[in-house]
Amino acid sequence: MLLDAHNHLHDARLAPHLPAILPELVRLGVTRAVVNGTRESDWPEVAALAAKHDFVLPSFGLHPWYVAERTPGWLDTLRSQLIAHPGAGVGEIGLDRWIEGHDDAAQAEVFTAQLALAAELNRSATIHCIQAWGALAETLRTHPRPARGFLIHAYGGSLEMMREFAALGGYFSFNAYFLHERKAAQREVFRQVPIERLLVETDAPALPPPDERNAYPLRDPDGETLNHPANIALTYKALAEIRGLPVETLAAQVEENFARLFAS
């Protein structure tokens, strides 16, 4: 059983490839994949995908990259989506100080509102964070959090902060992008993440693995490398190697962790 804790299967860049992608996920034994919306305009697409495919677990959120696009009623729309999908999570949400022209105040307002909604409904929260680790830790310490916990996807922070986030209820999903040579620090963090807090993700079509490890080379019309969702299999294998575990042992633990965080 393979479980993808974070992807964007609804992304338009994957649409031409879905007739080939979906059977391959079935063949590999992918039984659940959390598909994350990032803005109001794509929430209906995530919902439609979940209605069509039983393995899709929907998640709806306003990503920090898109806070400027929000409508006045965005939070009510988000609540309606969550009520309509009792098993859905809140995500992808978060803080990002890397993106050009970021608005810290707007990001904080949107993030805390969504975190409060996740806490109120006790839904999983899937968090994106780049270059805002201190602000994220402060927000999580001082604001309501979902009792079931939260996921920091493709965690790229320090070992010390990982321990703080874990104490606050955090889970951490490993991505095969961390197999790039320059990502040794991230691999070391994931060697030490408490095993009961480990998950595995693709973030497809984003964050492809190194070309030499990429089992499913996929490109968009402009030649950009896309991450195939079936790379979840090599991601499990790579994390098992990092942890020094048989992949079956890792998969069984990840299954327990996934159920604890995402089960409706």
Side-chain angles (χ1 to χ4, degrees), residues 147-184:
R148 66 174 58 214
F150 57 90
L151 169 64
I152 306 180
H153 99 88
Y155 177 71
S158 70
L159 182 61
E160 292 72 22
M161 295 209 77
M162 178 275 290
R163 291 173 175 142
E164 178 175 358
F165 291 129
L168 291 169
Y171 292 75
F172 310 87
S173 49
F174 181 78
N175 189 292
Y177 187 76
F178 293 152
L179 300 178
H180 284 273
E181 185 175 353
R182 65 185 184 278
K183 295 296 182 179

Side-chain angles (χ1 to χ4, degrees), residues 7 10 14 23 46-47 74 85 88 93 107 133 149 176 187 202 220 229 232 235 238:
N7 76 28
H10 64 295
L14 291 177
V46 172
W74 73 271
H85 298 86
I93 66 178
Q107 285 191 20
W133 298 108
R187 294 194 295 275
T202 61
D220 69 11
I232 191 68
T235 310

Side-chain angles (χ1 to χ4, degrees), residues 16-61:
H17 308 285
L18 283 182
I21 286 172
L22 295 172
E24 185 63 7
L25 297 182
V26 172
R27 187 189 73 80
L28 288 171
V30 177
T31 59
R32 264 321 210 180
V34 182
V35 178
N36 290 260
T38 58
R39 52 195 134 177
E40 291 169 83
S41 61
D42 72 8
W43 297 343
E45 297 167 22
V46 172
L49 203 60
K52 190 173 182 180
H53 302 287
D54 289 343
F55 77 94
V56 170
L57 181 60
S59 191
F60 306 100

Side-chain angles (χ1 to χ4, degrees), residues 2-246:
L2 299 177
L3 304 161
D4 190 344
H6 184 90
N7 76 28
H8 303 279
L9 194 62
H10 64 295
D11 191 296
R13 292 172 293 174
L14 291 177
H17 308 285
L18 283 182
I21 286 172
L22 295 172
E24 185 63 7
L25 297 182
V26 172
R27 187 189 73 80
L28 288 171
V30 177
T31 59
R32 264 321 210 180
V34 182
V35 178
N36 290 260
T38 58
R39 52 195 134 177
E40 291 169 83
S41 61
D42 72 8
W43 297 343
E45 297 167 22
V46 172
L49 203 60
K52 190 173 182 180
H53 302 287
D54 289 343
F55 77 94
V56 170
L57 181 60
S59 191
F60 306 100
L62 184 54
H63 192 286
W65 291 358
Y66 305 116
V67 296
E69 300 175 12
R70 68 192 187 281
T71 68
W74 73 271
L75 191 58
D76 290 335
T77 303
L78 177 57
R79 178 184 290 275
S80 296
Q81 285 284 11
L82 293 168
I83 296 300
H85 298 86
V90 178
E92 179 176 358
I93 66 178
L95 300 172
D96 190 312
R97 291 178 175 167
W98 168 80
I99 189 169
E100 186 176 347
H102 60 273
D103 183 333
D104 288 348
Q107 285 191 20
E109 176 188 341
V110 168
F111 177 53
T112 55
Q114 293 179 102
L115 196 62
L117 186 56
E120 176 193 338
L121 301 177
N122 195 24
R123 305 294 181 89
S124 60
T126 294
I127 295 173
H128 162 109
C129 185
I130 300 181
Q131 296 182 10
W133 298 108
L136 177 61
E138 176 66 16
T139 301
L140 291 170
R141 281 195 301 264
T142 58
H143 289 76
R145 306 182 301 274
R148 66 174 58 214
F150 57 90
L151 169 64
I152 306 180
H153 99 88
Y155 177 71
S158 70
L159 182 61
E160 292 72 22
M161 295 209 77
M162 178 275 290
R163 291 173 175 142
E164 178 175 358
F165 291 129
L168 291 169
Y171 292 75
F172 310 87
S173 49
F174 181 78
N175 189 292
Y177 187 76
F178 293 152
L179 300 178
H180 284 273
E181 185 175 353
R182 65 185 184 278
K183 295 296 182 179
Q186 280 70 44
R187 294 194 295 275
E188 177 58 24
V189 168
F190 273 92
R191 191 181 67 81
Q192 298 194 50
V193 168
I195 196 165
E196 70 277 7
R197 296 286 170 174
L198 275 177
L199 291 167
V200 184
E201 65 157 78
T202 61
D203 200 19
L207 299 184
D211 288 345
E212 66 273 14
R213 299 288 295 267
N214 193 344
Y216 298 91
L218 193 64
R219 297 189 185 276
D220 69 11
D222 296 326
E224 179 187 357
T225 300
L226 302 177
N227 193 4
H228 193 300
N231 278 323
I232 191 68
L234 79 87
T235 310
Y236 266 82
K237 182 179 179 182
L239 182 57
E241 291 170 356
I242 289 168
R243 300 292 299 215
L245 295 171

